[in-house]
């Protein structure tokens, strides 16, 4: 093999492990991962990191990846969440090989528990939750054995079966593994395997009133599915010993658990618990509010799946925790949209511009390409007449020296149309400018001049007689840079993070498809809102502005 043919070094430590395992044939050449969300909320951008990692391994190493719903807590789980999770994984561009629910395994998991009891490795404990906590000890002090720890196998089996049969109220008993109350790893101090919970489950209904705990369910589900690399976030590092204990004790097929650092990011909250509060309190317009760091929120905001995958690629996968700058995600988005989004005209805060020397009834058409670097996107013609809309922010009455846009006496270019010079300003009774009157130079047709006369400012515009009204929703960060604090509800949230303005778009966009993405020239990237945009009454979400603070920071070094 020549130097240039050398395979690239693995992109992260998990890929290095997988490549090593493939080289040594550890799993008979198999790579089988899973993404195991609990259906207790919508997925957020942190989950995207785990999705890209797990599905990406399957894709790149000819393996498989399961979608597994970790649905062992009936009180918090709902079908709506199951549906949204599937939609989000698909939208990100991934297809699961199998879809499973941990609840599919309830009978098998129960049998494993019975087996542990028979082996003398599990017992029914009748201490209260509070007592169990007290008996557990601390990092410095070992725990104490429960007085119920030495119950005989028969008594345990009888009690456990009666727990299942519904003879006891919630909290009366739990099933615990019998491991070591003095273990330096607190997870190993006789962890709870089952609890009583008289609650209907979204899939199993009222078939069960005992539910297995996460630590017991997870390793067994991985084992039943033949997972090879069970990848989770670092908080579960201490749980690995229990993962191994359960599978070794039961003598079951044994995947390996690996941990990586979860995604932390400025300006977001990546915890379903916190996000659910915002939804329930009505601070946001649902889980897919365009300010939410959920995958559905990013989608509604106008993010592309490609940009989120690119972001996950760039942040990498490591064991050391860090905080990623939100601006990196926006940078990935702009790169993608810059290459693809059609350029169109929209005036967000309209100001009337009248060309006093333009024939009253004349209408011309000017050709606008959709994309400056992509001819295949084609072009369209936009009407031009005496009455136009320009952006209010493109006019200033008392302009400073370096103002290149419109001001009294100044000449600017109307994009692809003509040069115009401001000759008069009209104000209302309160002194606000309501109209600017201009003269145009017919010799500058197309937006350039033969005599070499230069204008620095180029403005976008719309024919007021033809433009379609539109609503624009402009977003700011909902969360402060460091994320929300834990104390007061809604503490530190930017409640002014949504600004709604009403303006105009070019005629063809009145019928914009919900979800359609574009760049309004000079203004930013937008996406027609999937909930509120209607034919004839389009609503556009600003996905992001045009300025890339991340790229600028990178240049500065
Ligand atoms: P939350 O704290 O938001 O409730 P969770 O970890 O409880 O998240 P799960 O549904 O259990 O949510 O997560 C499914 C998978 O996504 C897990 O494997 C988990 O490790 C991973 N995951 C969750 N949050 C992040 C994150 N911020 N970065 C990377 N992976 C994450
Ligand atoms: Mg969880």
């Amino acid at each position: 093999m020549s130097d240039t043919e050398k395979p690239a070094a693995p992109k992260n430590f998990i890929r290095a492990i997988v490549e090593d395992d493939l080289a040594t044939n550890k799993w008979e050449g198999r790579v089988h991962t899973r993404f195991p969300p609990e259906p207790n909320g919508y997925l957020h951008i942190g989950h995207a990191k785990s999705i890209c990692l797990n599905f990406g391994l399957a894709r790149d190493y000819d393996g498989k990846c399961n979608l597994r719903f970790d649905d062992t807590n009936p009180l918090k789980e709902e079908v709506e969440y199951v549906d949204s999770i599937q939609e989000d994984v698909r939208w990100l561009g991934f297809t699961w090989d199998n879809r499973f629910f941990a609840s599919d395994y309830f009978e098998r998991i129960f049998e494993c528990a019975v087996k542990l009891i028979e082996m003398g490795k599990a017992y029914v404990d009748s201490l209260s939750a509070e007592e169990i906590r007290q008996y557990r000890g601390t990092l410095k002090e070992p725990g104490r054995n429960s007085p119920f720890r030495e119950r005989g196998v028969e008594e345990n089996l009888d009690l456990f079966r009666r727990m299942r049969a519904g003879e006891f109220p919630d909290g009366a008993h739990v099933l615990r593994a019998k491991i070591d109350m003095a273990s330096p790893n607190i997870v190993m101090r006789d962890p709870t395997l089952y609890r009583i919970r008289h609650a209907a489950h979204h899939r199993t209904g009222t078939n069960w009133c005992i539910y297995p705990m996460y630590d017991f369910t997870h390793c067994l589900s991985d084992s039943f599915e033949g997972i090879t690399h069970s990848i989770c976030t670092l908080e579960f590092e201490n749980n690995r010993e229990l993962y191994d204990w359960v599978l070794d004790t039961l003598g079951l097929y044994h995947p390996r658990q690996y941990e990586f650092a979860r995604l932390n990011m400025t300006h977001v909250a990546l915890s379903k618990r916190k996000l659910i509060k915002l939804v329930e309190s009505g601070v946001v317009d649902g889980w897919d509010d365009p300010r939410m760091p959920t995958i559905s929120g990013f989608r509604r905001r106008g993010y592309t799946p490609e940009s989120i995958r690119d972001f996950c690629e760039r942040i990498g996968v490591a064991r050391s925790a860090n905080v990623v700058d939100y601006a990196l995600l926006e940078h990935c988005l702009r790169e993608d949209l810059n290459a693809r989004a059609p350029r169109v005209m929209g005036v967000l805060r309209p100001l009337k511009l009248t060309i006093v020397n333009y024939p009253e009834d004349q209408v011309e058409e000017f050709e606008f390409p959709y994309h400056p670097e992509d001819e295949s996107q084609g072009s369209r013609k936009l009407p031009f007449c005496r009455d136009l809309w320009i952006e209010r922010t493109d006019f200033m009455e008392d302009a400073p020296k370096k103002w290149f846009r419109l001001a009294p006496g100044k000449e600017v270019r109307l994009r692809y149309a003509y040069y115009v010079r401001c000759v008069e300003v009209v104000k209302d009774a309160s002194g606000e400018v309501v109209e600017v009157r201009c003269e145009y130079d017919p010799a500058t047709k197309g937006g350039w001049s033969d005599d070499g006369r230069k204008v620095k400012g180029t403005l976008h515009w719309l024919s007021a007689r033809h433009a379609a009204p539109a609503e624009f929703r402009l977003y700011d960060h909902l969360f402060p840079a460091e994320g929300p604090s834990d104390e007061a509800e809604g503490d530190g949230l930017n409640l002014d993070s949504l600004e709604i303005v009403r303006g105009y778009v070019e005629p063809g966009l009145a019928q914009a498809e919900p979800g359609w993405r574009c760049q309004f020239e000079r203004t930013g990237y937008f996406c027609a809102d999937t909930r509120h945009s209607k034919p004839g009454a389009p609503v556009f979400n600003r996905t992001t502005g045009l300025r890339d603070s991340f790229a600028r920071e990178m240049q500065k070094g």
Side-chain angles (χ1 to χ4, degrees):
M1 201 185 271
S2 81
D3 238 23
T4 50
E5 282 167 354
K6 244 193 224 149
K11 275 182 279 186
N12 60 56
F13 80 99
I14 293 194
R15 283 177 175 251
I17 290 167
V18 168
E19 290 186 10
D20 216 47
D21 289 349
L22 286 172
T24 59
N25 212 27
K26 175 161 173 188
W27 307 98
E28 286 138 3
R30 290 187 311 119
V31 174
H32 200 152
T33 56
R34 84 287 172 271
F35 172 64
E38 181 178 359
N40 61 351
Y42 281 57
L43 297 180
H44 52 59
I45 185 84
H47 293 109
K49 177 176 181 179
S50 174
I51 292 169
C52 290
L53 173 60
N54 281 294
F55 284 94
L57 287 171
R59 176 194 61 209
D60 296 344
Y61 295 101
D62 202 12
K64 291 192 165 137
C65 182
N66 294 351
L67 174 62
R68 184 200 313 136
F69 291 99
D70 177 24
D71 56 346
T72 54
N73 184 356
L75 295 181
K76 293 190 171 164
E77 296 158 5
E78 287 173 28
V79 178
E80 178 194 348
Y81 300 140
V82 171
D83 294 342
S84 74
I85 288 169
Q86 295 187 162
E87 184 183 359
D88 290 349
V89 171
R90 282 205 201 95
W91 180 77
L92 277 177
F94 297 106
T95 315
W96 46 90
D97 290 278
N98 305 287
R99 185 195 70 167
F100 292 119
F101 292 83
S103 54
D104 294 340
Y105 309 130
F106 279 171
E107 195 62 49
R108 285 170 87 181
I109 296 171
F110 180 82
E111 283 161 20
C112 289
V114 168
K115 193 164 169 206
L116 286 180
I117 296 173
E118 287 168 348
M119 295 168 81
K121 297 287 189 188
Y123 62 98
V124 172
D125 195 354
S126 309
L127 291 180
S128 69
E130 177 54 28
E131 287 165 328
I132 288 180
R133 208 181 53 73
Q134 285 167 6
Y135 274 71
R136 186 162 289 134
T138 63
L139 278 175
K140 291 193 190 108
E141 279 171 51
R144 284 175 292 139
N145 287 351
S146 162
F148 302 100
R149 198 173 197 262
E150 298 310 325
R151 271 180 170 145
V153 170
E154 286 315 313
E155 187 186 352
N156 280 321
L157 282 176
D158 176 60
L159 282 170
F160 188 49
R161 294 211 166 100
R162 287 165 59 199
M163 281 167 65
R164 177 181 181 169
E167 285 188 29
F168 309 112
D170 288 8
H173 308 284
V174 293
L175 184 75
R176 298 179 72 176
K178 196 171 184 177
I179 307 179
D180 179 6
M181 288 306 292
S183 171
N185 181 356
I186 294 182
V187 173
M188 298 300 279
R189 295 185 188 169
D190 291 10
T192 302
L193 304 180
Y194 265 91
R195 62 187 160 177
I196 302 173
R197 187 147 280 184
H198 290 270
H201 184 278
H202 68 104
R203 297 193 82 240
T204 58
T206 50
N207 292 352
W208 293 86
C209 62
I210 57 171
Y211 290 94
M213 303 298 287
Y214 169 86
D215 278 320
F216 193 44
T217 311
H218 196 76
C219 53
L220 289 174
S221 306
D222 280 351
S223 175
F224 298 157
E225 292 174 20
I227 300 303
T228 54
H229 302 80
S230 174
I231 302 163
C232 60
T233 45
L234 271 176
E235 316 88 82
F236 293 97
E237 191 172 16
N238 289 337
N239 303 57
R240 192 194 327 134
E241 197 178 346
L242 178 55
Y243 185 106
D244 293 339
W245 181 91
V246 170
L247 296 180
D248 285 343
T249 305
L250 288 164
L252 293 173
Y253 166 82
H254 193 154
R256 286 287 149 212
Q257 174 181 309
Y258 298 97
E259 305 92 20
F260 71 100
R262 62 194 293 123
L263 172 65
N264 297 307
M265 203 168 156
T266 62
H267 291 294
V268 295
L270 295 184
S271 132
K272 284 182 276 192
R273 195 176 48 78
K274 285 185 183 166
L275 297 177
I276 208 165
K277 277 194 203 158
L278 298 179
V279 174
E280 283 174 353
S281 65
V283 168
V284 295
D285 177 25
W287 284 96
D288 65 351
D289 184 292
R291 293 164 295 176
M292 288 282 270
T294 51
I295 295 181
S296 51
F298 283 118
R299 176 168 61 234
R300 187 168 159 204
R301 178 85 172 251
Y303 274 71
T304 62
E306 289 83 357
S307 63
I308 294 178
R309 293 203 302 265
D310 181 32
F311 170 74
C312 290
E313 194 71 33
R314 292 198 206 193
I315 56 177
V317 176
R319 279 181 62 85
S320 51
N322 66 345
V323 181
V324 176
D325 191 336
Y326 189 95
L328 175 61
L329 178 60
E330 292 188 303
H331 174 72
C332 296
L333 175 74
R334 284 194 191 94
E335 267 198 11
D336 189 26
L337 290 180
N338 181 42
R340 296 199 287 161
R343 274 52 170 175
V344 291
M345 293 295 173
V347 174
L348 274 58
R349 297 175 177 87
L351 175 63
K352 193 169 170 192
L353 184 152
T354 309
I355 306 177
V356 291
N357 61 338
Y358 193 87
E360 179 92 47
D361 296 326
Q362 181 170 310
V363 177
E364 288 181 87
E365 287 192 318
F366 292 104
E367 179 119 9
F368 283 70
Y370 275 115
H371 195 286
E373 279 128 47
D374 180 5
E375 275 184 31
S376 73
Q377 293 201 14
S379 63
R380 81 287 186 201
K381 292 195 167 114
L382 292 184
F384 181 89
C385 68
R386 188 177 200 266
D387 307 303
L388 304 173
W389 294 122
I390 62 163
E391 208 70 68
R392 186 164 281 279
T393 48
D394 279 337
F395 175 79
M396 198 182 252
E397 196 176 10
D398 300 307
K401 254 212 173 107
K402 290 224 162 160
W403 179 258
F404 299 124
R405 292 177 256 169
L406 203 58
K410 278 221 163 201
E411 188 170 51
V412 296
R413 175 189 296 109
L414 295 177
R415 190 151 161 78
Y416 294 125
Y418 291 105
Y419 286 8
V420 293
R421 182 183 301 282
C422 174
V423 293
E424 193 186 344
V425 177
V426 182
K427 297 181 186 175
D428 66 8
S430 71
E432 197 190 349
V433 177
V434 292
E435 182 187 350
V436 288
R437 295 193 175 152
C438 296
E439 282 176 2
Y440 85 119
D441 178 355
T444 57
K445 186 165 177 170
W448 56 284
S449 150
D450 268 344
D451 62 11
R453 168 169 115 243
K454 291 220 166 60
V455 294
K456 280 211 168 139
T458 299
L459 310 191
H460 62 281
W461 52 269
L462 285 168
S463 159
R465 293 183 207 161
H466 303 87
E471 177 177 314
F472 300 91
R473 296 181 181 175
L474 313 177
Y475 300 99
D476 198 352
H477 289 298
L478 177 60
F479 303 100
E482 64 283 3
S485 75
D486 265 326
E487 293 105 54
E489 201 96 334
D491 199 22
L493 289 180
N494 175 11
L495 297 176
D496 295 326
S497 44
L498 167 61
E499 184 190 359
I500 296 182
V501 297
R502 292 198 169 77
Y504 295 93
V505 291
E506 54 180 78
L509 300 189
Q511 312 295 323
E513 275 293 309
W516 182 75
R517 300 183 191 94
C518 64
Q519 182 196 100
F520 284 120
E521 290 204 28
R522 303 182 59 233
T523 310
Y525 294 101
F526 286 76
C527 175
D529 189 67
T530 45
R531 275 187 193 276
H532 300 132
S533 195
K534 297 278 171 326
V539 175
F540 291 95
N541 294 319
R542 183 166 65 196
T543 314
T544 186
L546 297 175
R547 273 158 37 125
D548 192 330
S549 60
F550 189 81
R552 269 185 292 134
E553 288 305 312
M554 297 271 281
Q555 270 165 7
K556 276 194 236 154

